[in-house]
Amino acid sequence: MLNEMGKAAKAASWQLSTLSTAQKNRALMLMADMLEANSQSIILANELDRSAARESGMSEALLDRLLLTPARLSAIASDVRDVCRLSDPVGQVIDGSQQDSGLRLERRRVPLGVIGVIYEARPNVTIDVASLCLKTGNAVILRGGKETHHTNQATVNVIQMALEECGLPKAAVQAIESPDRALVAELLRLDKYVDMLIPRGGAALHKLCREQSTIPVITGGIGVCHTFVDESADFDKALTVLESAKVQRPSACNSLETVLVHQAIAARFLPELSDKMHRAGVTLHASESAMPYLQNGPAKVLAVTEEDYSDEWLSLDLNVTVVADLDAAVAHIRTYGTEHSDAILTRSISSADRFVREVDSSAVYVNASTRFTDGGQFGLGAEVAVSTQKLHARGPMGLEALTTYKWIGYGDDLVRP
């Protein structure tokens, strides 16, 4: 089955690679319109998935990731329209030069070809990935988790209807509908047709793909995100940023998981943090150094564990520890971070500069929330993933991350001397 899907996707990618920007944008606009026109069927399918997930004991954090509401679906459709307004990278000349031989060279952006995406309880990924791949002339094979089976099926059906109405092959966007895990292993070895693989899920999925894939893998999306509150931070502003970073959408990979507080301000700052987080319904997981300042506060507080530092909460839980200085904060982030998003809250230019230089994450912030690590917030449109590795793409992956380039040489009946 997958071999036939791969063959069809490869054929579709050749057709997509020749489309003009206007043709691709027309298909995207129709896709957005049809998603909204068929929103009822998609949301009904989503309700089936959520009902089954709830019965299976899925956590509230993952149920929130799974949820599609009319407002969320409308926002996703708007993201598709935003992709239309973005500059098309395909065909762009990156650079060029004239060689002494007379050969004129240029590097031009081209689609990658066929992209495979494996993801879990994130139905928005189906639409985000499909829109970005279509804009860049790539075909895509999607494999969502069993939790999103009905939602993905309904969504892909609508997308394929839009493609066919525009005269494009529906194989440009395909989904593996069977929940059989053996098909994941088969997809990981479909290197004859798939050019790049992107897993979006937990650590176990990323480990599986890195170890078993014969296709280049872009990993990321696991966010153990930190914020260091420096001794010079403005308390009121810092508390506002911390609350937003944790509470706005705790199930997101860019939500805050650990707060590091400079010891010089811990006695004054942590009681205020406890009050702020108590009102937001956040449970604090305190280190031995932080516990004395939090145990008498209003927020619920538990002792933090070593495992807590290394995992995503994806819920209204927050690790809190006191560190001696900026060096200790950086050391903690290097030990427990996932190179996703980390921030410093400070009024010291020198501390900010050092933090930016020494923290090696895909996104580093000064006096801003880690929640900004997002394709839309970065002006990239919908994102296909957030890469935490260093080769090919890093951070939110927008349109350019779904392209490669070819060298083109121009001569006048030129031969090599």
Side-chain angles (χ1 to χ4, degrees), residues 125-142:
V125 174
T126 303
I127 304 168
D128 290 348
V129 170
S131 62
L132 288 174
C133 286
L134 180 55
K135 180 76 175 194
T136 49
N138 292 293
V140 63
I141 297 175
L142 302 163

Side-chain angles (χ1 to χ4, degrees), residues 197-199 206-207 209-210 217-221 386-389 393:
L197 188 70
I198 303 173
H206 287 236
K207 183 173 184 289
C209 292
R210 285 195 301 268
V217 178
I218 296 284
T219 57
V386 176
S387 170
T388 54
Q389 63 186 50

